[in-house]
Amino acid sequence: MQKRDALYEGKAKILYATDDPNQVIQYFKDDATAFNAQKKGSIDDKGVMNNAISEVLFQLLEKEGIPTHFVERLNEREMLVRKLEIIPVEVVLRNVIAGSLAKRFGLPEGEALSRPVLEHYYKSDPLGDPMINEFHIRALGLARDDEMKEIEKLGFRINDILKEFFDQRGIILVDFKLEFGRHQGKILLGDEICPDTCRLWEKGSLEKLDKDRFRRDLGKVEEAYQEVCRRVCA
Ligand code: UDP
């Protein structure tokens, strides 16, 4: 398998073509951004840790029957994945009130939701990923109804699997973001699952072990990622 030109550079990753039109290489950078890229920085070895954490979580999900884009981790910073036509809808799952949900409802962070909540955001950097609902998705033709039904089913199932996995490692899965895409007529989970895209709180102390340490200038950012990596990749 040969690495070819960069196809796309995002905030945290670069996608490279390969000599196989069905597969691409996902390269994990140390760059960190927040608040729609208004805040920029870097987290030492974040790319290495997110690649390792994502590998474990994609393998776990595949084992549990969730179709993902993951093929194999190639090296410290690169993962071989199936090429997706990304559906421009970010799917957020929530178990505990935090972040934008706390703000929207004027509720304190930390209260458990009585049942998981699934939300949709339109994937658009210039617009700052506005929240949308299934009617917008249908009217704008972002995805078909059957695709969204499948994505919702997968989203809740992924939440159950990951919540249990993190719980066993002393971590509360507060909320997280997923992206899906089309590959040879099938919906696959794409992107990455890591402390950039999940809120992870230590059980008991409720210490934040995720990108909120960077967003909110809480310090010990690298240490938090290392701690998640240690518990997930053990
Ligand atoms: N999230 C993400 N990318 C985004 C927006 C959110 O990975 O562009 C994740 C975020 O890390 C959190 C969850 O989705 O785990 C919910 O984020 P929220 O809506 O609370 O927004 P935020 O507070 O991050 O602005």
Side-chain angles (χ1 to χ4, degrees):
M1 200 267 317
Q2 286 263 312
K3 187 170 164 185
R4 297 264 168 91
D5 293 343
L7 294 171
Y8 168 80
E9 176 156 6
K11 287 174 281 193
K13 297 190 295 299
I14 306 173
L15 280 189
Y16 292 94
T18 70
D19 51 4
D20 179 344
N22 289 313
Q23 296 191 334
V24 293
I25 292 172
Q26 186 162 258
Y27 176 96
F28 290 75
K29 303 194 281 184
D30 286 349
D31 298 354
T33 61
F35 312 119
N36 200 25
Q38 286 170 40
K39 181 182 169 112
K40 286 190 180 133
S42 168
I43 301 171
D44 283 347
D45 279 341
K46 174 169 81 74
V48 176
M49 295 187 275
N50 283 356
N51 191 21
I53 294 165
S54 290
E55 176 192 24
V56 171
L57 298 179
F58 279 129
Q59 282 175 335
L60 166 75
L61 293 172
E62 284 279 351
K63 203 180 77 196
E64 296 288 339
I66 305 288
T68 82
H69 71 159
F70 179 79
V71 178
E72 61 175 327
R73 189 168 63 81
L74 297 172
N75 54 50
E76 274 203 325
R77 287 183 182 270
E78 291 178 328
M79 177 184 278
L80 184 65
V81 298
R82 296 177 185 92
K83 190 172 183 184
L84 298 183
E85 181 195 337
I86 285 285
I87 293 171
V89 177
E90 297 192 350
V91 177
V92 168
L93 271 296
R94 301 181 182 273
N95 299 304
V96 177
I97 295 174
S100 69
L101 183 69
K103 230 177 255 162
R104 194 173 324 118
F105 287 95
L107 291 168
E109 288 200 312
E111 199 172 308
L113 291 158
S114 62
R115 47 184 295 176
V117 168
L118 184 148
E119 298 171 344
H120 303 113
Y121 293 85
Y122 180 41
K123 190 173 156 63
S124 162
D125 283 339
L127 299 177
D129 299 347
M131 193 179 193
I132 54 173
N133 67 29
E134 60 188 286
F135 296 96
H136 299 112
I137 295 170
R138 203 173 292 139
L140 298 172
L142 304 180
R144 298 194 315 262
D145 282 2
D146 61 305
E147 290 176 325
M148 288 317 297
K149 232 172 122 184
E150 169 76 359
I151 286 172
E152 281 168 24
K153 197 179 82 190
L154 291 172
F156 283 114
R157 176 89 185 105
I158 292 166
N159 183 45
D160 287 342
I161 298 165
L162 296 182
K163 206 166 49 175
E164 159 99 19
F165 176 86
F166 279 111
D167 182 68
Q168 286 166 354
R169 284 153 185 81
I171 292 174
I172 302 169
L173 177 60
V174 171
D175 56 32
F176 59 102
K177 184 259 301 179
L178 299 172
E179 294 185 25
F180 294 87
R182 307 177 182 100
H183 179 86
Q184 298 175 344
K186 252 189 102 176
I187 295 287
L188 305 186
L189 175 66
D191 198 43
E192 60 183 325
I193 313 173
C194 62
D196 276 7
T197 62
C198 303
R199 281 198 172 90
L200 304 167
W201 295 356
E202 179 158 61
K203 239 195 273 176
S205 73
L206 301 184
E207 194 186 341
K208 297 185 194 333
L209 298 175
D210 57 61
K211 201 166 126 185
D212 273 348
R213 300 206 72 84
F214 169 78
R215 292 189 190 101
R216 304 179 187 188
D217 292 319
L218 300 176
K220 293 194 180 161
V221 184
E222 279 86 1
E223 287 85 344
Y225 280 69
Q226 283 159 9
E227 186 57 26
V228 173
C229 206
R230 196 180 63 74
R231 294 195 199 185
V232 166
C233 304

